Amino acid sequence: MQKWRDNNKEKIREYGKKHYLKNKEVIKKKHAEHYQNNQQEYQIRLKRNHLLRKYGITLERFEELLKIQDNKCDICKTEFSKTVKPCVDHCHNTLIVRGLLCSRCNLSLPSFENLEFVKSALKYLDKTMK
């Protein structure tokens, strides 16, 4: 059987195309139903793939960080929720994951990596708040 498949790949491909075109609506409906019934599984798979591809961490490590940080931003301590989602903070040079932050802290952080900028900003605030 395998030998026949190897020798008839083009026939199999053609049959598959014809079958799809003939049954396109039924196939699309079945796929949509399958997605609806397995949406949570798809979302988990997407998140797992995203974390691995972008940050090099597993979903289990992400959940471990959430637990260690008590489900809160590591800087401002805002609790993560449906509206405040955790962002994976990482060093762009070394790609090492540092922790989970809210989007506000994650967007502010690059400014604070430059210590001269931080000192200057503190000096400015100290001067203008008197």
Side-chain angles (χ1 to χ4, degrees):
M1 190 67 156
Q2 185 62 43
K3 193 175 183 180
W4 182 88
R5 281 191 191 123
D6 292 342
N7 294 331
N8 293 286
K9 287 182 181 180
E10 196 57 41
K11 278 184 184 178
I12 295 169
R13 194 174 293 122
E14 277 302 312
Y15 174 80
K17 283 181 187 179
K18 284 179 187 175
H19 176 75
Y20 176 75
L21 291 173
K22 186 178 174 184
N23 301 289
K24 194 174 187 177
E25 294 307 314
V26 174
I27 292 170
K28 280 186 171 184
K29 187 178 178 184
K30 281 184 181 179
H31 285 186
E33 285 173 6
H34 185 268
Y35 178 78
Q36 258 331 79
N37 295 335
N38 298 285
Q39 200 168 8
Q40 189 174 6
E41 185 182 314
Y42 279 107
Q43 295 301 322
I44 291 169
R45 191 179 312 152
L46 282 173
K47 186 170 185 113
R48 175 174 273 126
N49 291 342
H50 170 74
L51 290 169
L52 260 177
R53 188 176 57 254
K54 188 157 185 184
Y55 305 108
I57 63 170
T58 62
L59 182 58
E60 291 73 23
R61 176 63 180 148
F62 177 83
E63 290 169 351
E64 184 182 324
L65 286 170
L66 277 174
K67 190 175 178 182
I68 290 168
Q69 293 179 206
D70 198 26
N71 200 41
K72 295 177 183 171
C73 171
D74 220 11
I75 294 177
C76 70
K77 306 304 179 202
T78 299
E79 190 160 353
F80 297 126
S81 64
K82 285 188 177 187
T83 55
V84 181
K85 298 194 184 298
C87 298
V88 178
D89 174 47
H90 66 290
C91 175
H92 288 257
N93 295 330
T94 64
L95 303 178
I96 294 173
V97 172
R98 296 183 281 218
L100 303 175
L101 304 176
C102 68
S103 60
R104 188 180 66 209
C105 289
N106 193 44
L107 290 172
S108 302
L109 198 58
S111 302
F112 300 129
E113 288 177 342
N114 178 342
L115 289 178
E116 290 307 311
F117 173 83
V118 173
K119 289 176 188 174
S120 181
L122 287 171
K123 204 182 278 187
Y124 168 78
L125 288 173
D126 189 46
K127 178 176 76 176
T128 58
M129 295 207 147
K130 289 183 180 178

